[in-house]
Amino acid sequence: MTVDEAPSTTRNDKATPAAPSTGRLQPLGLREVSLRPGFWQQRQETNRVASLEHIEQWLERAGWLGNFDAAVEGRLPGARRGREFSDTEVYKLLEAMAWEYGRTGDTALDRRYRAVVRRVAAAQEPDGYLNTNFGRPGQAPRYSDLEWGHELYSFGHLIQAGVARARTAGPDELFRVAVRAADHVCAAFGPDGIASVCGHPEIEPALAELYRVTGERRYLDQARLFVERRGHRVLADIEFGRAYFQDDVPVREAEVLRGHAVRATYLAAGAVDVAVETGDTELLDAVTRQWRTTVARRTYLTGGMGSRHQDEAFGDDFMLPPDRAYSETCAAIGSVMLSWRLLLAHGDPAYADLIERTLFNVIATSPADDGRGFFYTNTLHQRTPGTEPAPDALLPRAASSLRAPWFAVSCCPTNLARTYASLAAYLATVDDDGLQIHQYAAATIRTTRYGCEITTGYPDEGRITVRITETPESPWTLSLRVPSWAAGATLDGRPVSPGWARVHRRFHPGDVVVLDLPVQPRITAPDPRIDAIRGCVAVERGPIVLCAESVDLPPGVDLNALRVLPHAEERDGVVVVAGRTVQPQASGWPYGPASESVVSGPLDVPLRPYHRWARRGPSTMRVWLPLAGGRTDP
Amino acid sequence: MTVDEAPSTTRNDKATPAAPSTGRLQPLGLREVSLRPGFWQQRQETNRVASLEHIEQWLERAGWLGNFDAAVEGRLPGARRGREFSDTEVYKLLEAMAWEYGRTGDTALDRRYRAVVRRVAAAQEPDGYLNTNFGRPGQAPRYSDLEWGHELYSFGHLIQAGVARARTAGPDELFRVAVRAADHVCAAFGPDGIASVCGHPEIEPALAELYRVTGERRYLDQARLFVERRGHRVLADIEFGRAYFQDDVPVREAEVLRGHAVRATYLAAGAVDVAVETGDTELLDAVTRQWRTTVARRTYLTGGMGSRHQDEAFGDDFMLPPDRAYSETCAAIGSVMLSWRLLLAHGDPAYADLIERTLFNVIATSPADDGRGFFYTNTLHQRTPGTEPAPDALLPRAASSLRAPWFAVSCCPTNLARTYASLAAYLATVDDDGLQIHQYAAATIRTTRYGCEITTGYPDEGRITVRITETPESPWTLSLRVPSWAAGATLDGRPVSPGWARVHRRFHPGDVVVLDLPVQPRITAPDPRIDAIRGCVAVERGPIVLCAESVDLPPGVDLNALRVLPHAEERDGVVVVAGRTVQPQASGWPYGPASESVVSGPLDVPLRPYHRWARRGPSTMRVWLPLAGGRTDP
């Protein structure tokens, strides 16, 4: 048994997914913030006890893990299974396991992690290259298809997994595999190497994190090189255009995120990493501007990004159809990665606002309650009830009208797994003045300077109680984010405005600070430039987007015939909106002089959290509800 | 010089694209109906003098014609160019040339036709198989990829071309090639052959027409076999699901057209052919029902079909986004093929209504004025100005925000060419009682029994004058279609309702019948179930859908900020709608309490025919105009 095979004994309290060396705020480690029972802890626990195993089983069953064994045994390409990027699902599982072990110290999980690592490591080639889909006789040569081959994307996820392990438990076999891979990438794509980039960004943030772990400048330089090269048409044109992989405009010149939404957010996250580490304010400003414009014009109410199925891409400004929302789960994760980095860099709570919205309305929506099914896309309007996927089916990615166990392109389950495992990292930060709490959940925070217990029934309830458990002698600032939707919030009974609610004073253990956020239902109207939801409203409650679902309607009532009044109220814990149904005159042609519809009703329609939809079997669903006789805009 | 190489001397007056042996109405031949100068003749002439040459040049330049030479010379697969279905563009060009020669007797065109035929014929294999993409060493085996290989689709277009030639000029070399191919298909896919179908329907109507030309029942039997097999999951499941190629539900059980819109309409057309020739009323009723539901729920105002880019498919009922309308030009052609067959079968003018709408608003929209550029997709809302395609660019199919000279998938230009060349066939029919005029254009009709001159400035003007030039002695019925939109129409001054306006009497040469259709602008509202255009109206004038285009707005006015009043009037020949613009409050997040917008105006907005859009350079465009302060529905 080598040292690597012994159970890990050291676990680093400060391990965290993104660790910039500078910035307005400093992240906390996964063992500095612990979730306690509540909304997020329940989901993190389901991820730990069910999703990780489910994913590992599917990776075996689908043969994607076996591809590494086949590589070692010389059975490729004949024995290869899965898409060209299937290796990355193994790496994302390893990353999830690394975070989870770092958090819990679960030795059984650690053994499973090591067993997978051994199979991966065995397939690495002497020069550091590692990919089960390229380079062998009968396979396409290495780097022969940068547009679609995903080789650097794959290295990116390998490196992220190695970084997660190095941070949580110290450098191990996987970390060394990752370093060898990174060294190979630097040699192959360095200043004297292939002057191009990968069709799918991911290597950029990965190399930046490897620099942060190792202090080796060459990884940062290579990340910067990849960021700078992109946008100069170094990749071939494709059917979707070069905007698909952000090779249309250089990162520092672009005005908005565009193209494939996962690619766009990963690249932007990597660009922030590079900008922060190199002090490149122009680059940081560029990504900051792109984030602002994207949030103002290209983001769904749920925080979801990407309105096109065809190329999994952002649409034009204000092109946000609810019924063909793509809103890929992975794009939401990319959005959180990006917003988190900008939050650390700037300290602006607007980034945490979007993270909250995205967590509660996309990342909480995707997994099934049992952790063994997932939404790949997250539509805001389901017109016809979906069909239950077969439990053993490998679904096409976008066909999941109900949560499905696995996909031919199965990026989302593993991406969720690593996100849930590291979720606590996004709750709070510190700076020289004190502690900032960004996301509200029952949790314990214990840093080298501060300690507190957060008690809350959020998001069902709006009260957040922070009890100080450890504190320096000197005064410091406790900063609590007041979400932008929370007009009327109070801190210890005094009104506070959205933004930061700050308490600066000398604290004592046992001190309590109470933030009250108003979580009564509220009516939300869309910007009139969003054509697809003109004349509609949505109902939100705290950070939660609500929806109407057909299973809550009386028999025979068609959800798509529903019209509502712009008023919602809560009755016995259920938000209800008053509505009626309209039945258009039957016609063979759906256009003509405006005709009267037969109006039925009135009708009380219960609304449920969007993240709960499609958990009671096939149904139709709407987030945006047409107004009864409502005016569209002035 | 063989007989085949001599110029053709016989041309058949009655040649027509779809020639059912039975049905309520009988089609006329391409030399029985001649367009005279006017809207359609101008476009047909542009097709003849420019598009056919343009297409032929591109087929050479792109190497798709050269693939046949490469096949003969043993240079395949190395020398092969283009997609797997590129052979079909050559066949559709040949079909277009055959119709055009049949119509005009242009001997220079006939020589070009023969030259292409020789190259195609030389590549046919001894057993009748002909495809430059399959079956040779280094290529995939024949019929190894029925889902995507398009081999039978390709035979379908070959047969259609051969049929066109046989009908217009008599059996020739191409026709014999087509017959050998059809015999091969019957052998390979007959009752004892491969029990499957092609991923792209087209062989079905082609074999039915070959039966109609030859009287050989085996072609009809094979067409019927293909129609009956489909829908029983004989093809593999694919990412888009089996509905993509209509293999989800048997044709006679389906309720609506679904999946890929070109595939769906071609299959339905073939099913009508089979139903009519075999007296299968159940099958005919099934397709008729599908047509009705599709028109009532899945068709754009323009007549365009297909609302999804991803799979070029019909969406769910009432899922008709204007800004992501796919509305492929070929789907419009498929729709005309289908409606025409149903019109011949049933005699119901509703089918001619949809043909008119589709001709004026999709098929007239696609080609550039010079006949050397084309829209592949036909959006109803362009949010950002397109970019001029490079004149030598092979564009991805859906990227044509302006008309483009050629596409990597270039089905639409050749499909338009064959449609324009045979356009006169769709104007009129006969039955035992007399003559029916379905489409209005300046034209001369001369059948074995009836003759008339149609004089009209349609669609600019609504008056259609029919002067009888030849007539039997006995009374007969002249039937003129009154479009469904034409409330207030008069025939010889007497009010007539939409449907058929019939004149039954003894006619004399020189008799004149005058139909007046009201072509003042009218406001059209959508069915309230079409979410994507709630709160909007369109303006139509006669058969023409109008649109607002940014190039007609004052500088600085954003088309997407425009709101209109539901009233349009004509001034100096231009339809004008009153509007104003709204400027929403700037915000970092596009959802919240309804906020006031800054309203500017009033503003008169000129509207132009939709088919004229994007002919004055890059622009934004809207068919559906949001109402100013308009109520959405009751």
Side-chain angles (χ1 to χ4, degrees):
Chain A
M1 186 181 263
T2 69
V3 172
D4 282 341
E5 286 164 335
S8 300
T9 48
T10 58
R11 288 183 294 129
N12 173 13
D13 284 356
K14 302 196 82 63
T16 195
S21 63
T22 180
R24 178 72 189 77
L25 308 176
Q26 290 90 56
L28 298 182
L30 288 186
R31 283 163 54 84
E32 294 181 312
V33 186
S34 309
L35 294 171
R36 285 189 297 108
F39 187 95
W40 288 117
Q41 195 262 5
Q42 179 191 348
R43 286 160 176 79
Q44 187 177 56
E45 195 60 10
T46 301
N47 183 59
R48 185 179 74 80
V49 301
S51 298
L52 291 183
E53 181 191 71
H54 173 86
I55 289 167
E56 195 177 352
Q57 286 169 346
W58 265 101
L59 288 174
E60 289 286 13
R61 175 177 178 178
W64 303 354
L65 198 39
N67 287 336
F68 291 93
D69 310 331
V72 174
E73 294 158 14
R75 291 184 286 110
L76 296 182
R80 195 170 186 290
R81 306 271 301 279
R83 291 285 299 269
E84 59 275 29
F85 36 72
S86 68
D87 293 357
T88 63
E89 311 315 339
V90 176
Y91 303 151
K92 281 189 284 182
L93 173 66
L94 288 174
E95 185 187 336
M97 287 173 155
W99 295 128
E100 200 56 59
Y101 171 72
R103 189 172 72 79
T104 60
D106 178 340
T107 54
L109 180 67
D110 189 51
R111 280 194 296 276
R112 282 160 57 198
Y113 164 88
R114 287 162 186 269
V116 174
V117 166
R118 273 194 294 275
R119 294 164 71 181
V120 167
Q124 189 168 38
E125 299 183 37
D127 68 348
Y129 184 86
L130 173 49
N131 191 302
T132 66
N133 198 54
F134 287 92
R136 293 168 192 80
Q139 292 184 325
R142 292 180 184 182
Y143 308 124
S144 57
D145 183 9
L146 287 172
E147 287 73 22
W148 296 108
H150 289 77
E151 287 160 281
L152 294 172
Y153 166 78
S154 186
F155 282 129
H157 279 301
L158 172 63
I159 293 166
Q160 293 276 29
V163 163
R165 181 65 172 190
R167 284 185 173 149
T168 50
D172 75 332
E173 185 176 10
L174 182 67
F175 180 71
R176 285 189 292 277
V177 168
V179 165
R180 283 194 295 270
D183 290 341
H184 158 77
V185 169
C186 292
F189 287 86
D192 302 325
I194 303 166
S196 192
V197 299
C198 183
H200 199 315
E202 162 60 22
I203 187 72
E204 297 83 354
L207 286 171
E209 292 299 336
L210 187 61
Y211 158 71
R212 288 163 173 171
V213 166
T214 62
E216 295 284 354
R217 177 83 192 187
R218 66 180 181 281
Y219 301 131
L220 178 62
D221 290 343
Q222 187 64 45
R224 187 176 51 76
L225 206 50
F226 282 135
V227 169
E228 297 293 3
R229 276 179 189 155
R230 193 176 299 264
H232 296 282
R233 302 173 167 246
V234 293
L235 296 174
D237 203 1
I238 56 166
E239 176 169 353
F240 304 139
R242 286 197 180 85
Y244 175 78
F245 30 50
Q246 296 76 46
D247 192 33
D248 54 338
V249 180
V251 177
R252 65 178 71 239
E253 293 172 21
E255 292 297 326
V256 67
L257 298 186
R258 67 229 173 272
H260 189 277
V262 182
R263 284 168 166 81
T265 49
Y266 282 21
L267 174 65
V272 173
D273 289 337
V274 167
V276 164
E277 299 302 334
T278 61
D280 187 339
T281 53
E282 183 192 67
L283 182 59
L284 182 61
D285 289 350
V287 179
T288 303
R289 179 178 70 227
Q290 291 159 30
W291 184 94
R292 276 202 210 103
T293 308
T294 302
V295 172
R297 295 167 175 248
R298 298 188 174 189
T299 302
Y300 282 103
L301 181 64
T302 54
M305 292 183 178
S307 65
R308 295 187 178 184
H309 276 241
Q310 185 184 32
D311 45 359
E312 308 184 285
F314 288 100
D316 293 341
D317 286 353
F318 304 111
M319 185 188 271
L320 293 161
D323 52 2
R324 285 291 278 174
Y326 199 70
S327 183
E328 182 181 340
T329 301
C330 286
I333 291 169
S335 167
V336 169
M337 286 165 53
L338 171 59
S339 294
W340 178 244
R341 283 159 171 78
L342 290 171
L343 176 61
L344 295 178
H346 295 302
D348 182 342
Y351 301 111
D353 281 353
L354 186 68
I355 290 173
E356 171 174 76
R357 185 173 287 279
T358 308
L359 288 176
F360 278 113
N361 300 296
V362 186
I363 290 171
T365 304
S366 176
D369 286 345
D370 68 359
R372 296 173 182 275
F374 310 90
F375 274 142
Y376 190 113
T377 65
N378 296 277
T379 187
L380 277 72
H381 180 187
Q382 181 77 28
R383 290 171 173 276
T384 54
T387 48
E388 298 272 8
D392 58 349
L394 214 84
L395 278 207
R397 58 190 173 194
S400 55
S401 51
L402 289 169
R403 292 167 184 85
W406 202 246
F407 304 89
V409 177
S410 216
C411 45
C412 298
T414 55
N415 223 347
L416 284 167
R418 65 180 189 135
T419 303
Y420 275 110
S422 57
L423 195 67
Y426 300 103
L427 260 61
T429 56
V430 290
D431 65 4
D432 293 343
D433 290 335
L435 177 70
Q436 301 82 38
I437 303 178
H438 303 284
Q439 304 302 334
Y440 298 115
T444 301
I445 297 177
R446 194 166 173 181
T447 78
T448 44
R449 287 176 62 82
Y450 315 107
C452 65
E453 294 276 334
I454 304 170
T455 311
T456 183
Y458 197 76
D460 286 346
E461 296 159 21
R463 169 159 293 193
I464 295 113
T465 303
V466 182
R467 191 170 63 81
I468 304 298
T469 55
E470 286 164 88
T471 174
E473 291 286 310
S474 53
W476 55 279
T477 306
L478 174 65
S479 301
L480 303 177
R481 180 179 63 94
V482 181
S484 57
W485 51 261
T490 61
L491 185 72
D492 290 334
R494 295 183 311 278
V496 286
S497 299
W500 286 122
R502 300 191 195 271
V503 183
H504 178 81
R505 71 172 192 233
R506 188 183 303 265
F507 285 97
H508 303 280
D511 281 0
V512 167
V513 173
V514 177
L515 177 68
D516 276 301
L517 300 177
V519 292
Q520 72 276 20
R522 62 188 190 278
I523 298 288
T524 298
D527 186 300
R529 288 169 291 193
I530 306 176
D531 287 289
I533 48 177
R534 178 166 289 118
C536 296
V537 294
V539 182
E540 298 179 274
R541 183 185 179 283
I544 300 290
V545 173
L546 303 179
C547 69
E549 202 175 355
S550 57
V551 290
D552 288 317
L553 297 180
V557 173
D558 174 7
L559 180 58
N560 286 316
L562 184 68
R563 300 293 179 269
V564 302
L565 300 176
H567 174 74
E569 60 184 46
E570 202 154 346
R571 289 187 213 148
D572 303 327
V574 177
V575 176
V576 174
V577 66
R580 53 199 194 202
T581 60
V582 294
Q583 189 56 48
Q585 305 277 355
S587 166
W589 179 242
Y591 312 98
S595 67
E596 290 299 306
S597 296
V598 178
V599 179
S600 312
L603 177 72
D604 280 343
V605 182
L607 303 179
R608 312 280 181 186
Y610 170 72
H611 67 76
R612 299 295 310 155
W613 96 271
R615 296 185 193 272
R616 292 173 288 169
S619 66
T620 60
M621 181 276 296
R622 293 190 78 122
V623 166
W624 290 102
L625 305 168
L627 282 169
R631 290 180 172 273
T632 55
D633 59 34
Chain B
M1 184 182 269
T2 68
V3 172
D4 282 340
E5 287 163 335
S8 300
T9 48
T10 58
R11 287 184 294 131
N12 173 13
D13 284 355
K14 302 195 82 63
T16 195
S21 63
T22 180
R24 178 68 190 78
L25 308 176
Q26 290 89 54
L28 298 180
L30 288 185
R31 282 164 54 82
E32 293 182 311
V33 187
S34 310
L35 294 171
R36 286 188 296 108
F39 187 96
W40 288 117
Q41 195 264 4
Q42 179 191 346
R43 285 160 177 79
Q44 188 176 57
E45 194 61 9
T46 300
N47 183 59
R48 185 180 72 80
V49 302
S51 299
L52 292 183
E53 181 191 71
H54 173 84
I55 289 167
E56 194 177 352
Q57 287 170 347
W58 266 101
L59 288 174
E60 288 287 13
R61 176 178 177 177
W64 304 353
L65 199 38
N67 287 336
F68 292 94
D69 310 330
V72 173
E73 294 157 16
R75 292 184 286 109
L76 295 182
R80 195 169 187 288
R81 305 273 299 280
R83 291 286 299 271
E84 60 274 29
F85 37 71
S86 68
D87 293 358
T88 63
E89 311 316 339
V90 176
Y91 303 151
K92 281 189 283 182
L93 172 66
L94 288 174
E95 185 186 337
M97 287 173 154
W99 295 127
E100 200 56 59
Y101 171 71
R103 190 173 72 81
T104 61
D106 177 338
T107 54
L109 181 67
D110 189 50
R111 280 193 297 275
R112 282 161 54 200
Y113 164 88
R114 288 162 185 268
V116 175
V117 166
R118 272 193 295 275
R119 295 165 71 183
V120 167
Q124 189 167 38
E125 299 183 39
D127 67 348
Y129 184 86
L130 174 50
N131 191 302
T132 66
N133 198 54
F134 287 92
R136 294 169 192 79
Q139 293 183 325
R142 292 180 184 181
Y143 308 124
S144 57
D145 183 10
L146 287 172
E147 287 74 21
W148 295 109
H150 288 78
E151 288 160 281
L152 294 172
Y153 167 78
S154 186
F155 282 129
H157 279 302
L158 171 63
I159 292 166
Q160 292 278 29
V163 163
R165 182 64 171 190
R167 284 184 173 151
T168 51
D172 76 333
E173 185 176 9
L174 182 68
F175 180 72
R176 285 189 291 275
V177 167
V179 166
R180 283 194 295 270
D183 289 341
H184 157 78
V185 168
C186 292
F189 287 84
D192 302 324
I194 303 167
S196 192
V197 301
C198 183
H200 199 314
E202 161 60 22
I203 188 73
E204 296 84 355
L207 286 172
E209 292 299 335
L210 187 61
Y211 158 71
R212 287 163 174 172
V213 166
T214 61
E216 295 283 355
R217 177 84 192 186
R218 67 180 180 280
Y219 302 132
L220 178 63
D221 290 342
Q222 186 64 45
R224 187 176 51 75
L225 206 50
F226 282 135
V227 168
E228 297 294 2
R229 277 179 187 156
R230 193 175 299 264
H232 296 281
R233 302 175 167 244
V234 294
L235 296 173
D237 203 1
I238 58 165
E239 175 168 352
F240 305 138
R242 287 197 180 86
Y244 175 78
F245 30 48
Q246 294 77 45
D247 191 34
D248 53 337
V249 180
V251 176
R252 66 178 69 238
E253 293 173 20
E255 292 296 327
V256 66
L257 298 186
R258 70 230 170 270
H260 189 277
V262 181
R263 285 169 166 80
T265 48
Y266 282 20
L267 173 65
V272 173
D273 289 336
V274 167
V276 164
E277 298 302 335
T278 61
D280 186 340
T281 53
E282 182 192 69
L283 182 60
L284 182 61
D285 289 350
V287 179
T288 303
R289 179 178 72 227
Q290 292 159 29
W291 183 94
R292 276 202 210 104
T293 307
T294 302
V295 172
R297 296 169 175 248
R298 300 189 173 187
T299 301
Y300 282 103
L301 182 64
T302 54
M305 291 183 178
S307 65
R308 296 187 177 183
H309 276 241
Q310 185 184 32
D311 45 359
E312 308 185 285
F314 287 100
D316 293 341
D317 287 353
F318 304 112
M319 186 188 270
L320 293 161
D323 52 2
R324 287 290 279 175
Y326 199 70
S327 182
E328 181 181 340
T329 301
C330 286
I333 291 168
S335 166
V336 169
M337 287 166 53
L338 171 60
S339 295
W340 179 243
R341 282 160 171 78
L342 290 171
L343 176 61
L344 296 178
H346 295 302
D348 182 341
Y351 302 111
D353 280 353
L354 185 69
I355 291 173
E356 171 173 75
R357 185 172 288 278
T358 308
L359 288 175
F360 278 113
N361 299 297
V362 186
I363 290 170
T365 304
S366 174
D369 286 344
D370 68 358
R372 296 174 181 275
F374 310 90
F375 274 142
Y376 190 112
T377 64
N378 296 277
T379 187
L380 276 72
H381 180 187
Q382 181 76 28
R383 290 172 174 276
T384 54
T387 48
E388 297 271 9
D392 57 351
L394 215 83
L395 278 206
R397 56 190 172 193
S400 56
S401 51
L402 289 169
R403 293 167 183 83
W406 202 246
F407 304 88
V409 177
S410 218
C411 46
C412 298
T414 54
N415 223 347
L416 284 168
R418 66 181 187 134
T419 303
Y420 275 110
S422 57
L423 194 66
Y426 300 104
L427 262 60
T429 56
V430 290
D431 66 4
D432 293 345
D433 290 335
L435 177 70
Q436 300 82 37
I437 303 178
H438 304 284
Q439 304 301 335
Y440 298 114
T444 302
I445 296 176
R446 196 167 171 180
T447 78
T448 44
R449 287 176 61 81
Y450 315 106
C452 65
E453 293 277 334
I454 304 170
T455 310
T456 183
Y458 198 76
D460 287 345
E461 296 160 20
R463 169 157 292 192
I464 295 114
T465 303
V466 181
R467 191 171 61 83
I468 304 299
T469 55
E470 287 163 88
T471 175
E473 292 286 310
S474 54
W476 56 279
T477 305
L478 174 65
S479 301
L480 302 176
R481 180 179 63 94
V482 180
S484 57
W485 51 262
T490 61
L491 186 73
D492 292 334
R494 293 184 312 278
V496 285
S497 299
W500 286 122
R502 301 189 195 272
V503 183
H504 178 80
R505 70 171 192 237
R506 187 183 305 265
F507 285 97
H508 303 279
D511 281 0
V512 168
V513 173
V514 177
L515 177 68
D516 276 301
L517 301 176
V519 291
Q520 72 276 21
R522 64 187 189 278
I523 298 288
T524 298
D527 186 299
R529 288 168 291 192
I530 306 176
D531 287 290
I533 48 177
R534 178 166 288 117
C536 294
V537 294
V539 182
E540 298 180 275
R541 183 185 179 283
I544 300 290
V545 173
L546 303 179
C547 68
E549 202 175 356
S550 57
V551 291
D552 288 318
L553 296 179
V557 173
D558 175 6
L559 179 58
N560 286 317
L562 184 69
R563 300 293 180 269
V564 302
L565 300 175
H567 174 74
E569 59 183 46
E570 200 154 346
R571 290 186 213 149
D572 303 327
V574 176
V575 175
V576 175
V577 66
R580 54 201 192 200
T581 60
V582 294
Q583 189 56 49
Q585 305 276 356
S587 166
W589 180 242
Y591 311 98
S595 67
E596 291 297 305
S597 297
V598 178
V599 179
S600 312
L603 177 74
D604 280 344
V605 181
L607 304 179
R608 311 280 183 187
Y610 170 72
H611 67 76
R612 298 296 309 156
W613 97 270
R615 296 184 193 273
R616 291 173 289 170
S619 67
T620 59
M621 179 276 296
R622 294 190 77 121
V623 166
W624 290 102
L625 306 168
L627 283 169
R631 288 178 174 274
T632 54
D633 58 33

